[in-house]
Amino acid sequence: MRIRSLALLTTAAVLATMTACVATSEETRPEPRPSVSEEEVTPIETPDDAPEVSIVDSSPGGAKDADPLWQGLAEAAANKSEAYLKVYVHTGNPDVPDTGEATVTADTPDSVSVTVDAKNVDTEKSPFLLIQGTFTVEEIGGSAYTLTTENSDEIPELNPKGPDDEARCTADDAQDRISLAAQDLADDPDKREDFRQQWGASPQVWWGIQKTAISLNQEGGVAGDFLTEACGEYLQQ
């Protein structure tokens, strides 16, 4: 059995990246930023026939202004247009019925709730639930939507290209690369789409990066060990 220390990917590592200092005889100066190799990011080209609202992402939950799932559902409902979703949601209640409807809500306070046919919810990565398909969208409350399935087909051209969760979590430079991504996203949230294209192929890690970045900006620290949550199953193999 291969066991890697979970400490490698704890959010304490992110704080260390931010605040570590090196003492000298004259001063205390910031520790040099860890060095990682550049990654080549493959741009995503949207097919002409894809719905205007197409969301392939990991929802961080929480407020609408930070959640692309909520924003996309609101746009589709307002415009009475279809929405294509391939979205992972980390939930505290991952039980999904075999038939009928399922309501998926992130385990972050004040998150959007999505009611959808249970057949369109994949539980393979539970507690990360995957909502996938093309839907019509109806707003039934300020933070609640009902989806009606048009089809369950995937649009693979919209999938980010890159390493999957296992490859990200078990890489030799996982600690530095993932922690730096969280800090860089916290420093420049406007570059979220660039980060999604780079990290979206590893949806659990991408969720952990977002949650850590949001927490750094909101609280000046980290409330929750999101990166260990994202990588735990792979680090204990």
Side-chain angles (χ1 to χ4, degrees):
M1 176 183 292
R2 174 171 54 84
I3 299 178
R4 296 183 61 190
S5 171
L6 293 181
L8 283 175
L9 289 170
T10 63
T11 46
V14 181
L15 294 177
T17 300
M18 297 169 56
T19 61
C21 294
V22 176
T24 69
S25 58
E26 298 179 355
E27 62 179 355
T28 300
R29 56 184 172 80
E31 186 174 284
R33 175 185 171 91
S35 176
V36 296
S37 60
E38 290 287 334
E39 288 189 356
E40 182 176 345
V41 180
T42 303
I44 298 171
E45 297 184 5
T46 302
D48 293 338
D49 58 351
E52 184 173 344
V53 176
S54 292
I55 308 165
V56 180
D57 217 322
S58 297
S59 167
K64 180 180 178 181
D65 61 2
D67 185 4
L69 172 60
W70 192 340
Q71 295 167 17
L73 294 175
E75 179 182 348
N79 295 337
K80 300 187 184 303
S81 62
E82 293 181 345
Y84 170 73
L85 306 180
K86 184 179 179 182
V87 179
Y88 285 89
V89 179
H90 186 278
T91 177
N93 181 23
D95 295 331
V96 175
D98 294 332
T99 60
E101 293 183 331
T103 297
V104 178
T105 307
D107 56 0
T108 302
D110 303 317
S111 295
V112 68
S113 291
V114 182
T115 299
V116 61
D117 192 315
K119 294 179 181 178
N120 291 94
V121 182
D122 189 329
T123 62
E124 181 180 358
K125 291 180 175 288
S126 179
F128 292 89
L129 301 183
L130 172 62
I131 303 172
Q132 181 172 299
T134 298
F135 308 94
T136 56
V137 182
E138 179 184 1
E139 183 176 2
I140 58 174
S143 60
Y145 294 83
T146 294
L147 309 184
T148 301
T149 305
E150 296 297 317
N151 68 72
S152 302
D153 298 336
E154 182 180 21
I155 305 177
E157 296 89 343
L158 294 177
N159 294 340
K161 310 297 190 295
D164 62 13
D165 284 305
E166 182 172 12
R168 287 291 194 189
C169 292
T170 59
D172 290 340
D173 62 354
Q175 174 183 350
D176 288 343
R177 190 175 295 277
I178 297 174
S179 298
L180 284 172
Q183 181 56 53
D184 288 345
L185 180 59
D187 290 342
D188 194 351
D190 289 341
K191 290 187 176 180
R192 183 187 186 280
E193 175 58 18
D194 295 337
F195 283 94
R196 184 190 72 87
Q197 294 198 28
Q198 180 177 356
W199 291 90
S202 47
Q204 295 176 202
V205 173
W206 173 223
W207 169 85
I209 288 170
Q210 292 179 82
K211 292 290 292 181
T212 302
I214 291 169
S215 201
L216 286 170
N217 279 336
Q218 289 182 341
E219 301 161 25
V222 178
D225 213 351
F226 305 115
L227 299 180
T228 297
E229 172 77 15
C231 284
E233 67 176 292
Y234 303 111
L235 298 181
Q236 297 185 76
Q237 291 177 358

